[in-house]
Amino acid sequence: ENDGVVAVYNDGAGDASLMKLSEIRQEKPAVDVVSNGPSHHGVAVPLDDQVLISIADAGEGLPKGVDLVDLDSTVLQELHDCPLLHGSATAGEWVVFGCGDSVLAINTTDSPMEAYNIPSPDGEEGRVGTVIKHPRWDFFIGNHGSLALSKIDVMERSMDIFPVPVDVRGFGFTSDGYSIVAITEDGQVHTISPTDGNITKSVELIAPYESGTRPALAFAPGRVVVSDHSTGEIYVLDDESLDTLMVFDADGIPQSMTVVGWEFGDDDDDDHDHDHDHDDDHDHDHDDDHDHDHD
């Protein structure tokens, strides 16, 4: 979703369906369909009456970049310098895509749009396949391979690498943005500082991950929700202390999770008042930050 428009990319067809968020509850919402070349595992980001949509060579599973197209699928600009494109996030005028050797940052206010790659630091190799953004910060966070996270500053055109000790299997911002929560291959859940990558808390929670369905993460105010990939149990944790507050059975193994509503019980504090010591100079209030993980 971006600017009040939802885009659903259809891998098998190689096109994207666009619907206004305000109309999505209607029985038959108006749908625009834009297409762009051979089918692949792709992504589309709506921008008013235009769309950034991925493009791949025939026979390739992942894109090589994106095209700017109008709602008639006419290509307006080609931005192809992003091999193995996977994952995207938006914030204000910026859209960032993960690439095999960098990220592709696009300023959507320019015409033609300004686009540039932010490469990995010298000596650091790792593909960025997930990108996230929180309104509290003026930077993006991505993975960097499986053993690191990356802090991406589009204005400084820089990328900092935060190593982690064990393969990361999922990560996201807490609802207030003060921490990143990551789950690693050994079944531990960690809180990580977004500014310097320091691991501030770790708990052993679920069985180590070996193969198959990955553990999933979701977030609610003051809470992080974690699925056990081996049992189907769902753990609700405090997002600062990582204490377990609730466990229930999903009656299956979740592929992914999201929170669409949250009712606080007697043991929950609506304000969820955490004492965080952070530099307010980093605090930016963008109402239209979005992130997308395309597995």
Side-chain angles (χ1 to χ4, degrees), residues 18 33-35 49-53 67-77:
L18 310 176
V33 178
V34 295
S35 59
D49 57 352
Q50 299 174 339
V51 183
L52 284 169
I53 186 170
D67 286 338
L68 178 67
V69 304
D70 62 20
L71 297 184
D72 294 321
S73 300
T74 301
V75 175
L76 307 175
Q77 187 176 351

Side-chain angles (χ1 to χ4, degrees), residues 242-265:
L242 299 183
D243 291 340
T244 298
L245 305 177
M246 183 189 305
V247 182
F248 60 92
D249 193 345
D251 195 25
I253 307 296
Q255 294 276 354
S256 62
M257 301 187 299
T258 191
V259 176
V260 295
W262 193 260
E263 181 177 347
F264 287 91

Side-chain angles (χ1 to χ4, degrees), residues 89-91 94 96 118 131-142 150-156 158-160 162 173 177-180 192-197 278-279 281-284 286 289-290:
T90 63
W94 291 98
V96 173
I118 302 174
V131 186
I132 62 174
K133 178 71 174 65
H134 192 280
R136 181 170 296 281
W137 307 109
D138 58 359
F139 51 78
F140 295 76
I141 295 289
S150 56
K151 176 183 171 184
I152 302 154
D153 189 323
V154 295
M155 301 304 295
E156 296 294 330
S158 65
M159 182 188 298
D160 296 322
F162 300 153
F173 277 108
Y178 280 122
S179 294
I180 299 165
I192 301 173
S193 166
T195 57
D196 59 21
H278 292 280
D279 184 353
D281 289 343
H282 289 284
D283 196 353
H284 298 263
H286 300 292
D289 291 359
H290 306 282

Side-chain angles (χ1 to χ4, degrees), residues 221-244:
R223 304 292 182 258
V224 55
V225 185
V226 184
S227 70
D228 189 322
H229 60 94
S230 61
T231 67
E233 289 182 314
I234 306 298
Y235 292 80
V236 180
L237 312 180
D238 180 276
D239 70 1
E240 183 179 24
S241 68
L242 299 183
D243 291 340
T244 298

Side-chain angles (χ1 to χ4, degrees), residues 267-285:
D267 295 332
D268 286 320
D269 178 4
D270 262 354
D271 294 332
H272 198 70
D273 191 7
H274 288 171
D275 185 13
H276 299 275
D277 185 12
H278 292 280
D279 184 353
D280 287 340
D281 289 343
H282 289 284
D283 196 353
H284 298 263
D285 186 13

